[in-house]
Amino acid sequence: MPFPETPPAASVAAPATAPVIAPARLGFTDRLLPVWILASMGLGLLLAVVAPGIGALLGAFTIGSVSVPIAIGLLVMMYPVLAKVRYADARAVAGDKRLLISSLVMNWLVGPALMFTLAWIFLPDLPEYRTGLIIVGLARCIAMVLIWNELACGDREAAAFLVAVNSVFQVFAFAALGWFYLQILPAWLGLSTTSAEFSIWAITASVLVFLGIPLLAGYLSRRVGEATRGRDWYESRFLPRVGPFALYGLLFTIVLLFALQGRQVIDHPLDVARIALPLLVYFLVTFLTGFLLGRLIGLPYERTATLAFTAAGNNFELAIAVAIGTFGAGSGQALAGIVGPLIEVPALVALVYVALWLRPRLFPARATGRLDL
């Protein structure tokens, strides 16, 4: 059950007039992806109801602030995508200043500021949930964004590069931005402030586990595979065998998330609904802003999609770990962090279809054929 392949020409800096062939239609598995995801969400909720102890059981397997079961799912999910990256070509992405600067602006200026604004607009009377949402907005995505980018036929080399850059920024900027958005900016605006201390270890561990391990494994796979058997064997024989595990890992992770946190969702439906609304607005506005920005500055579709998805996604594991470590597992901040991925997964899957729908309409010179969604 492979994800759609991005044409190799999309991975290198090519002239704007170079043709890129769009797939005529999504494959059978990818067309039914929403069904698989909804089924996984339902299975997770069912497990939370019929086996209420499963959340505590799975939650007991942690190393520091990292959930081992979720880590396994994410690693299985990310490895095939990172094994596909042509790392020699990824270096060329660093020379695309439009993409790099746009990504940094979207991730570290627009994204956190938008989440801060939406949290205060939609949750002015619920400070715990509001703080939790702000923390979610500070945790930039380093895992699932690779899947959404792959499904939308984005530039996987650019995605790997931007995720690595944002991960470095995350280690150094997360605590400072948390201090700014929870204390300094609210004080300037005459709003209530929140005191919070963030663990640099939790942030670093999240980056190392959820990006460092699969990135190293993907890099070594390509280097060793091409050196011993050649690129043709690696891309035509090896990658098709490991490719389906990206989908397996994604669905496994979704089942775990809903099994671990489903009880809280079921017990607090109205609170979940209030938290979900600003999240939905955030994902939609951030994605469309990134997509239109990429179009305006002249990026090709592949890098425009990458810019939009890397801006819209969030590092839910880090946000949950920080909220629980700072405010406690039963806090409203933790619940807001938990709701984040439960809303993000279906929302960004829907945005994959939006991106594919926009592709031939906004980039007609670079897309041939018709996407039958």
Side-chain angles (χ1 to χ4, degrees):
M1 293 187 285
F3 286 112
E5 287 289 334
T6 304
S11 302
V12 297
T17 57
V20 175
I21 306 302
R25 58 191 298 133
L26 291 174
F28 174 76
T29 300
D30 302 312
R31 288 168 64 84
L32 292 180
L33 182 64
V35 176
W36 312 137
I37 288 179
L38 288 174
S40 299
M41 293 164 64
L43 177 58
L45 287 175
L46 180 63
L47 289 173
V49 172
V50 302
I54 192 170
L57 177 63
L58 293 173
F61 293 94
T62 60
I63 298 177
S65 59
V66 176
S67 167
V68 174
I70 290 179
I72 292 172
L74 289 175
L75 295 179
V76 172
M77 176 190 77
M78 293 176 66
Y79 167 71
V81 180
L82 290 170
K84 291 179 180 180
V85 173
R86 292 180 174 178
Y87 291 91
D89 296 340
R91 299 191 190 102
V93 179
D96 191 340
K97 297 298 188 294
R98 296 173 302 169
L99 176 65
L100 179 59
I101 294 172
S102 298
S103 179
L104 292 176
V105 169
M106 288 297 302
N107 275 280
W108 299 105
L109 294 179
V110 175
L114 177 61
M115 188 69 88
F116 173 86
T117 303
L118 293 174
W120 274 99
I121 290 174
F122 286 94
L123 303 170
D125 57 328
L126 297 172
E128 290 190 358
Y129 296 157
R130 185 175 65 238
T131 298
L133 277 186
I134 292 172
I135 292 174
V136 170
L138 299 177
R140 312 314 300 167
C141 193
I142 62 174
M144 283 193 174
V145 66
L146 297 173
I147 296 295
W148 315 136
N149 180 74
E150 190 82 357
L151 287 169
C153 297
D155 186 326
R156 67 171 66 103
E157 283 72 31
F161 177 78
L162 292 181
V163 164
V165 169
N166 284 318
S167 298
V168 174
F169 267 78
Q170 194 153 249
V171 172
F172 294 101
F174 187 95
L177 286 174
W179 171 71
F180 177 76
Y181 280 106
L182 295 178
Q183 295 190 32
I184 301 302
L185 185 57
W188 287 350
L189 299 175
L191 304 171
S192 60
T193 61
T194 301
S195 297
E197 295 182 1
F198 302 113
S199 168
I200 297 299
W201 162 244
I203 300 168
T204 304
S206 175
V207 171
L208 290 177
V209 171
F210 299 120
L211 176 63
I213 293 175
L215 183 62
L216 179 62
Y219 174 77
L220 291 177
S221 293
R222 180 167 283 277
R223 285 296 299 271
V224 173
E226 289 190 357
T228 57
R229 304 293 295 273
R231 174 172 285 191
D232 182 66
W233 173 87
Y234 183 82
E235 296 190 346
S236 64
R237 301 289 298 276
F238 178 76
L239 289 182
R241 292 179 181 177
V242 301
F245 286 92
L247 179 58
Y248 303 153
L250 173 64
L251 299 181
F252 175 75
T253 303
I254 293 171
V255 171
L256 284 185
L257 283 171
F258 277 79
L260 279 165
Q261 315 298 348
R263 191 72 258 174
Q264 292 213 54
V265 174
I266 294 170
D267 291 343
H268 304 89
L270 295 180
D271 290 349
V272 169
R274 288 202 61 180
I275 297 169
L277 186 56
L279 282 169
L280 288 171
V281 175
Y282 170 83
F283 293 132
L284 180 61
V285 171
T286 307
F287 174 83
L288 291 179
T289 301
F291 207 93
L292 293 176
L293 176 61
R295 182 67 178 85
L296 287 173
I297 64 177
L299 293 177
Y301 167 81
E302 294 76 18
R303 292 190 175 179
T304 296
T306 298
L307 173 64
F309 281 106
T310 52
N314 293 90
N315 184 351
F316 62 83
E317 180 67 14
L318 174 59
I320 294 172
V322 167
I324 291 176
T326 305
F327 302 101
S331 65
Q333 292 89 340
L335 179 60
I338 289 165
V339 173
L342 307 187
I343 303 301
E344 177 177 339
V345 170
L348 266 69
V349 169
L351 290 174
V352 167
Y353 285 83
V354 172
L356 292 173
W357 183 82
L358 288 173
R359 181 180 187 176
R361 291 161 175 82
L362 295 184
F363 301 87
R366 293 183 57 79
T368 60
R370 184 171 64 90
L371 286 172
D372 187 9
L373 300 181

